[in-house]
Amino acid sequence: MARMNINFKNRVAVIGAGLTLFRRRMYETTRELAWEAAKQALDNAGLTLRDIDAVVLGTAPDAFDGIHMQGEHMTDAAGGYMKPYTRVFVGGGTGVFAAIAGWWHVASGLFDRVLVVAEEKMSTVRPHPQYVFHHIFDPIMDKPLGVNLIWIFALEMARYMYKYNIKKEDIALVSVKNKRNALDHPAAQVAAKITVEDVLNSEVLVWPVQRLDISPVSDGAAAIVLTNEEYAKQYTDTPVWIEGVGWSLDTTYWTNRDLAFPKYLYYAGKMAYKMAGIDNPRKEIDVAEVYDPFDYKELHHMEGLQLARKGEAPILTREGVTERDGDLPINPSGGLLGVGNPIAAAGLMKVAEIFWQLRKEAGKRQVAKDPVTGLAQAWGDLMQIGTVVIMRV
Amino acid sequence: MKLPGTPYKDVDLKEGRIPYVEDKPDAKYRFSAGIAMSRFLEELKNGRIMGLKCLNCGRIYVPPRTFCSYCFKPTSEWVQVKDTGIVNTAVVSYIAADRGRMDKPLVVAVIELDGASPGMGILHKLGNVDPEDVKNGKIFGKRVRAVWRPEEERTGSITDILYFEPMEGD
Amino acid sequence: MPSDVYIIGVGSTRFSPSTPELSFKELMFEAAVKAYNDAGIDARRDLDAIVSASEDYWEGISIFDEYIPDQLGGVLKPVFTVSGDGLWGVIHAYMLIKTGAFNIVAVEAHSKASDIVDINSIWRMAFDPYVIRPLIDNPHVLAGLEMNIFMENLDVDRDAISLVVSKNRANALNNPIAPYGSDVDPDMVSESRVVSYPLRELDISSYSDGAVVAVLAGETAARDLGIDAPKVKGVGWVSGSSYIEEWDYASPEFVWRAAQMAYSQAGIDDPYDSIDVAFIDDRYSFRELQSIYALGLNDGYSLNELMYNGVIYPDGDLPVNPFGGYLGCGYPLLAGGLLKLYNAMMYLRSAGPDTVESALVMARMEYPSPSAAVVILGW
Ligand SMILES: [Zn+2]
């Protein structure tokens, strides 16, 4: 990003957040899930829908629901009826990106109070949600080869392991940590006490990816309420400010990229750090929710975000630095590996977790250090987009 | 904290406790291949892998595109790249596209083709490779060559190449 | 003060019933090169962000934003998709610049409708699967319902509606990017095949392929580039209900509300007086009159009089769709709003600041929940 043309006029605060349970299959429809989360967030902020000026929706591929223009299907349920309402979409990066879009609705000065809702219902599609991902690939180069989503992540993981000589044992530690952290999360779907051996002995899907390296498929929804400075101070004594946002989309041609390092996230992070005035992320970020649909991605993303040097994230993990009581707690919520992965909702759950951590409202999940600055991040598309939000109290 | 939501199990669905409506999307498309990919597919029938070169920055793109991803100039010069290359990364798949188990594991890889710009790889299958050599990392950086379908069976598809296999003496 | 926002460049392909010779990427690339050239920018150096409009089922590729960066000059830049018409993309670009963190933002939208084998089967998937899909298999059914009650409640003649088709198809003859320019007699419209009574074949805009890119910039950037460009004076967008049983078919409130939002930003009290030309929804012929009414642009005229008195013809008091609208350019799915914006820019540039003060651009999304976006441009 080039130079900024003015100083920010409108500071944006998060003043409320809400979640539904994350589960493999939910009785509620997409609309019902979105409404539940929106209601929770509004209650948490002490607002009603009448107080909301505009609504942003995040939901990942329409194919999960089999509904064309899914965003439009959700209008009333997300609170967008007769309001300025929009859906933004960047694949798996959508959850955090919806918060970014909410930020610019307020930061632009157009709106005072904005509701951001993210939902995903993956259980609708039969026989398995994986099948939907077949249709994300290039119909000429990749699809005829029978490509599976896990292939491409495995190819990235394998390259990362090869380049930095990383052992599967070290990567498995992420899964162990996150599933354990999730034991304290009220929405958690797959919280568990497991060992590195459990991960290494789980079903091999696409080597090096095994079943316990991966987050589950889930149904769920999340929501947050954003306001400008004036309203934030009126509604709460503890607003959490969004001080930086960043995102970056890499080339479509994923086989032309350096898969060992997430360059898209390096750029997204750089943009957000610049906005938030952060020079040394490793020192200045107190707690981070990085996107962890696979265990290796937590490590990969820490390096892309400059929270670790290249190849260093597994070492920090082994040394306990990323535990809740460590120097740089990563995914204290339990992440996607522990709480679950209703795609867009999982991303926004991460923003909600940073909101609670910075307000010291995370209960048993509260990190040991006194956090002032936190970061939430998501990732998606063909291993291609990074979305980053930096928050402060 | 009690969160909203009502989970159910697959068995509840199978035993009729969860009301639902069923529908099957009827979504069909014919994707126009366009200038770059039409020629690419046509030349596969001839056993040739074609790239497009950006005359501004010199990058040779495979798969070809009419625009340069990095300097945004039109690419205009067709270049035949070799059907040999090196393995950038490889994995062993035990599952098919629909998540079902495969009968026999399949090795897939990103292969950087000789003659394309460094790092310009394509996705393809590897044949005659022991899955163990993927797991112990031996296959990384190895030279491989395309094994083509017999000419009369080619249809102008990426599957005109059956797979890549390690080159002898390498 | 937040920066004013300008449209510093536009580019469009020719619109066409089908484009088998080009991939969607190649179509997008052509529009992007034209727009960046028009704005005098180097995409790789100057663009701070790119917004692209897409919906997965229109593209036939899930998570379509994967396939947009390279051909727009957006690799490793802040690029994203808005699920909706390109005019919503313009609004997002406008907001991004207003935050102060972005200077130059491009917006892209395209249609490859001809790549879809059976387009009604895709429309059908936009409907509620529980109670609507079992009943309705194409969108024209709803348009027929809408047209009927609109004509009834607002006392609109069949002849007036047929004249909209004649006017727009004739207007398209002067538009080099429009494929459906023609001399269509109003009787041909009212005697064409009934699709969903009272909606007839010629009341419906045919689909078209094409791509449009617009480049927006803040004050500083526009000044640095030395461009005297039209300004975005106001934006508005509002959604209706996704329960089609609850629509007000005759007079869409969401259009009215979107317009009020844009008017208030632009400081417009009397729209008919302030707006000199309008580029508005005519996906179906009657929609042009319905939109004029909802936008408050009919002044003292009845909707019939707008046609019979020539008010909205190119040489009338308020030209509407003077370059042919969707009826003349084709309905390019999500590229519709940007196509209208492109036509508005052509009009503003040729007329100049002395003749035209403000132009109104409006687009609608159709189903499941209808919604409207309004952008007011001017000098
Ligand atoms: Zn180049």
Side-chain angles (χ1 to χ4, degrees):
Chain A
M1 189 171 65
R3 67 271 168 230
M4 302 195 182
N5 61 13
I6 57 157
N7 292 319
F8 293 114
K9 184 169 170 282
N10 307 292
R11 272 180 107 194
V12 182
V14 185
I15 65 157
L19 294 175
T20 66
L21 292 173
F22 288 6
R23 290 294 183 271
R24 173 66 181 85
R25 298 171 190 83
M26 294 275 244
Y27 187 65
E28 287 80 3
T29 63
T30 48
R31 283 168 166 167
E32 288 159 353
L33 287 170
W35 181 82
E36 291 284 5
K39 178 84 170 54
Q40 295 275 314
L42 287 169
D43 287 351
N44 184 237
L47 272 67
T48 68
L49 188 57
R50 203 171 313 184
D51 302 316
I52 294 295
D53 305 316
V55 179
V56 177
L57 179 84
T59 178
D62 291 3
F64 284 136
D65 301 281
I67 293 174
H68 178 29
M69 303 189 280
Q70 165 77 352
E72 305 272 304
H73 179 75
M74 302 294 299
T75 307
D76 309 69
Y81 174 67
M82 286 302 162
K83 291 187 196 296
Y85 167 78
T86 190
R87 171 189 176 194
V88 291
F89 184 30
V90 286
T94 299
V96 170
F97 194 72
I100 295 176
W103 167 82
W104 76 60
H105 276 67
V106 178
S108 63
L110 253 65
F111 304 102
D112 298 335
R113 296 164 292 186
V114 171
L115 173 66
V116 178
V117 182
E119 65 77 29
E120 213 71 63
K121 188 171 172 79
M122 301 170 75
S123 64
T124 305
V125 61
R126 310 289 292 178
H128 193 280
Q130 275 301 336
Y131 193 69
V132 164
F133 288 113
H134 189 53
H135 301 286
I136 74 169
F137 290 101
D138 186 297
I140 293 174
M141 290 301 293
D142 298 341
K143 257 184 164 177
L145 297 170
V147 60
N148 182 297
L149 184 70
I150 299 174
W151 283 15
I152 69 167
F153 300 135
L155 285 161
E156 187 179 73
M157 178 172 171
R159 179 69 192 172
Y160 176 57
M161 289 168 64
Y162 173 74
K163 178 118 180 224
Y164 300 116
N165 196 23
I166 295 164
K167 302 265 164 297
K168 283 225 22 158
E169 288 80 345
D170 283 341
I171 293 175
L173 282 171
V174 173
S175 192
V176 173
K177 167 178 70 76
N178 291 2
K179 285 181 188 296
R180 190 182 55 233
N181 282 351
L183 288 167
D184 300 322
H185 198 293
Q189 175 183 348
V190 285
K193 254 193 137 111
I194 59 163
T195 63
V196 167
E197 285 66 41
D198 292 333
V199 180
L200 299 180
N201 292 332
S202 63
E203 182 192 10
V204 181
L205 301 173
V206 180
W207 189 93
V209 173
Q210 296 178 248
R211 197 174 56 78
L212 289 177
D213 291 314
I214 308 191
S215 57
V217 295
S218 316
D219 293 355
I224 59 172
V225 177
L226 304 177
T227 71
N228 63 9
E229 189 160 1
E230 190 191 331
Y231 276 103
K233 288 180 172 160
Q234 185 182 319
Y235 289 128
T236 175
D237 296 332
T238 47
V240 174
W241 305 101
I242 294 184
E243 304 246 306
V245 302
W247 75 101
S248 174
L249 182 64
D250 207 342
T251 172
T252 304
Y253 301 87
W254 63 275
T255 57
N256 294 172
R257 289 188 219 132
D258 171 14
L259 297 176
F261 183 72
K263 224 188 240 176
Y264 49 86
L265 187 54
Y266 172 76
Y267 281 97
K270 228 170 88 169
M271 176 176 167
Y273 293 142
K274 185 178 163 194
M275 216 181 272
I278 290 175
D279 301 319
N280 185 342
R282 172 69 180 85
K283 286 218 154 53
E284 294 176 60
I285 299 293
D286 299 314
V287 54
E289 282 280 328
V290 306
Y291 210 60
D292 61 327
F294 294 75
D295 45 13
Y296 83 96
K297 277 317 277 193
E298 175 170 314
L299 306 170
H300 211 231
H301 286 152
M302 283 172 66
E303 294 172 16
L305 286 165
Q306 304 176 63
L307 297 175
R309 286 190 298 274
K310 289 179 183 178
E312 188 199 25
I315 301 165
L316 297 182
T317 305
R318 202 166 54 212
E319 290 172 349
V321 175
T322 62
E323 298 281 348
R324 271 188 203 142
D325 59 358
D327 184 46
L328 178 60
I330 303 286
N331 291 330
S333 67
L336 279 52
L337 287 162
V339 186
N341 187 11
I343 302 178
L348 198 58
M349 177 276 282
K350 288 183 171 291
V351 177
E353 179 70 10
I354 296 300
F355 169 70
W356 288 316
Q357 288 286 347
L358 296 182
R359 297 232 291 196
K360 316 235 170 39
E361 289 175 357
K364 284 165 86 181
R365 302 190 308 284
Q366 190 63 47
V367 299
K369 68 196 290 192
D370 181 14
V372 174
T373 307
L375 179 153
Q377 175 250 325
W379 162 76
D381 296 351
L382 295 166
M383 311 185 290
Q384 187 179 2
I385 190 153
T387 52
V388 177
V389 165
I390 294 168
M391 294 152 79
R392 268 203 199 103
V393 278
Chain B
M1 182 165 52
K2 169 89 178 74
L3 296 180
T6 318
Y8 69 88
K9 299 211 174 309
D10 204 28
V11 63
D12 296 323
L13 187 74
K14 284 185 180 132
E15 293 176 4
R17 286 187 289 274
I18 306 295
Y20 63 89
V21 294
E22 206 170 286
D23 193 26
K24 195 172 160 54
D26 177 27
K28 292 196 187 70
Y29 309 85
R30 329 163 252 263
F31 299 106
S32 313
I35 296 165
M37 293 311 285
S38 297
R39 170 98 192 254
F40 178 80
L41 293 174
E42 202 52 39
E43 293 280 10
L44 286 175
K45 285 193 209 163
N46 305 321
R48 288 197 282 264
I49 302 173
M50 300 300 290
L52 265 168
K53 182 174 179 179
C54 172
L55 293 177
N56 190 50
C57 69
R59 282 186 180 85
I60 296 169
Y61 287 106
V62 181
R65 64 214 70 162
T66 56
F67 39 83
C68 178
S69 295
Y70 294 94
C71 67
F72 203 61
K73 296 284 186 229
T75 56
S76 44
E77 192 172 290
W78 284 98
V79 179
Q80 183 182 352
V81 303
K82 298 216 170 77
D83 66 352
T84 58
I86 60 165
V87 176
N88 173 288
T89 178
V91 298
V92 189
S93 182
Y94 295 84
I95 56 169
D98 62 359
R99 179 64 175 84
R101 293 298 287 184
M102 280 177 159
D103 299 337
K104 199 169 148 252
L106 175 71
V107 178
V108 291
V110 173
I111 298 137
E112 294 181 39
L113 295 172
D114 295 329
S117 291
M120 296 287 162
I122 61 165
L123 174 73
H124 222 293
K125 302 170 187 176
L126 293 185
N128 301 321
V129 170
D130 182 351
E132 282 313 307
D133 284 345
V134 177
K135 295 179 186 178
N136 62 27
K138 276 189 190 157
I139 195 71
F140 289 74
K142 278 277 187 296
R143 300 196 56 75
V144 290
R145 89 153 59 82
V147 175
W148 294 83
R149 249 178 231 287
E151 203 168 336
E152 60 279 9
E153 290 174 21
R154 293 182 202 150
T155 58
S157 158
I158 191 67
T159 57
D160 288 350
I161 297 171
L162 290 166
Y163 52 84
F164 283 77
E165 66 175 6
M167 289 168 76
E168 286 151 37
D170 196 72
Chain C
M1 273 297 286
S3 165
D4 276 332
V5 178
Y6 300 83
I7 306 215
I8 61 164
V10 284
S12 176
T13 63
R14 201 178 178 283
F15 279 74
S16 172
S18 74
T19 48
E21 71 285 4
L22 295 174
S23 68
F24 69 82
K25 290 182 189 172
E26 289 158 0
L27 207 59
M28 290 163 74
F29 179 60
E30 182 187 331
V33 169
K34 286 178 170 165
Y36 302 158
N37 188 53
D38 187 42
I41 60 163
D42 175 335
R44 300 297 295 155
R45 186 192 61 208
D46 298 329
L47 280 180
D48 294 326
I50 301 175
V51 192
S52 175
S54 73
E55 290 278 7
D56 286 357
Y57 278 113
W58 286 142
E59 309 293 346
I61 296 177
S62 229
I63 320 186
F64 184 73
D65 73 292
E66 294 164 350
Y67 293 89
I68 59 178
D70 300 65
Q71 62 272 27
L72 298 177
V75 171
L76 289 171
K77 282 180 181 286
V79 176
F80 71 97
T81 52
V82 56
S83 305
D85 179 276
L87 207 55
W88 275 257
V90 170
I91 289 169
H92 284 298
Y94 172 83
M95 285 193 279
L96 285 170
I97 293 168
K98 284 277 188 191
T99 66
F102 300 80
N103 284 302
I104 303 182
V105 182
V107 185
E108 185 274 346
H110 61 275
S111 160
K112 256 294 198 177
S114 68
D115 274 4
I116 301 168
V117 173
D118 173 13
I119 204 159
N120 278 343
S121 72
I122 308 296
W123 275 117
R124 181 182 163 275
M125 293 186 54
F127 299 134
D128 175 308
Y130 310 102
V131 289
I132 307 297
R133 275 188 213 179
L135 302 173
I136 294 177
D137 66 356
N138 80 77
H140 304 320
V141 176
L142 295 174
L145 288 168
E146 192 182 329
M147 182 173 176
N148 210 2
I149 190 108
F150 165 70
M151 290 173 71
E152 175 81 23
N153 284 14
L154 293 171
D155 203 15
V156 180
D157 298 347
R158 170 75 245 184
D159 287 350
I161 291 174
S162 297
L163 280 169
V164 171
V165 180
S166 301
K167 169 179 76 73
N168 289 2
R169 299 285 294 267
N171 287 352
L173 290 167
N174 302 316
N175 185 351
I177 63 166
Y180 296 112
S182 187
D183 178 13
V184 175
D185 193 68
D187 292 342
M188 287 164 67
V189 181
S190 47
E191 284 161 22
S192 61
R193 190 174 65 90
V194 176
V195 175
S196 169
Y197 186 86
L199 189 75
R200 291 169 185 270
E201 191 81 46
L202 289 183
D203 287 315
I204 305 171
S205 299
S206 304
Y207 294 101
S208 61
D209 289 2
V212 189
V213 171
V215 184
L216 281 75
E219 233 155 64
T220 327
R223 202 173 39 235
D224 288 353
L225 288 161
I227 294 177
D228 188 20
K231 183 161 77 176
V232 178
K233 292 177 157 180
V235 301
W237 71 107
V238 168
S239 288
S241 174
S242 60
Y243 296 88
I244 65 177
E245 303 87 333
E246 293 176 15
W247 295 356
D248 178 352
Y249 285 88
S251 170
E253 187 186 345
F254 54 92
V255 178
W256 180 81
R257 285 187 186 233
Q260 295 310 310
M261 180 177 167
Y263 293 152
S264 110
Q265 283 171 31
I268 291 175
D269 300 322
D270 179 351
Y272 181 80
D273 190 48
S274 302
I275 303 291
D276 301 304
V277 57
F279 300 80
I280 63 178
D281 184 51
D282 62 333
R283 159 89 172 101
Y284 300 104
S285 56
F286 73 92
R287 280 274 183 79
E288 182 168 301
L289 297 174
Q290 187 200 44
S291 302
I292 289 173
Y293 182 73
L295 292 163
L297 286 175
N298 57 317
D299 197 33
Y301 297 102
S302 76
L303 296 178
N304 293 326
E305 284 166 352
L306 288 176
M307 298 315 302
Y308 302 150
N309 297 0
V311 180
I312 61 171
Y313 280 77
D315 53 359
D317 216 19
L318 176 69
V320 171
N321 292 325
F323 287 130
Y326 298 146
L327 288 160
C329 300
Y331 177 56
L333 301 175
L334 302 178
L338 276 190
L339 169 63
K340 290 192 182 290
L341 183 94
Y342 178 84
N343 286 336
M345 286 291 288
M346 296 297 104
Y347 195 94
L348 283 166
R349 283 174 173 179
S350 69
D354 299 334
T355 332
V356 178
E357 195 190 317
S358 292
L360 182 145
V361 182
M362 170 241 176
R364 256 183 86 145
M365 287 278 289
E366 298 282 341
Y367 319 106
S369 59
S371 50
V374 174
V375 171
I376 295 165
L377 301 177
W379 302 95

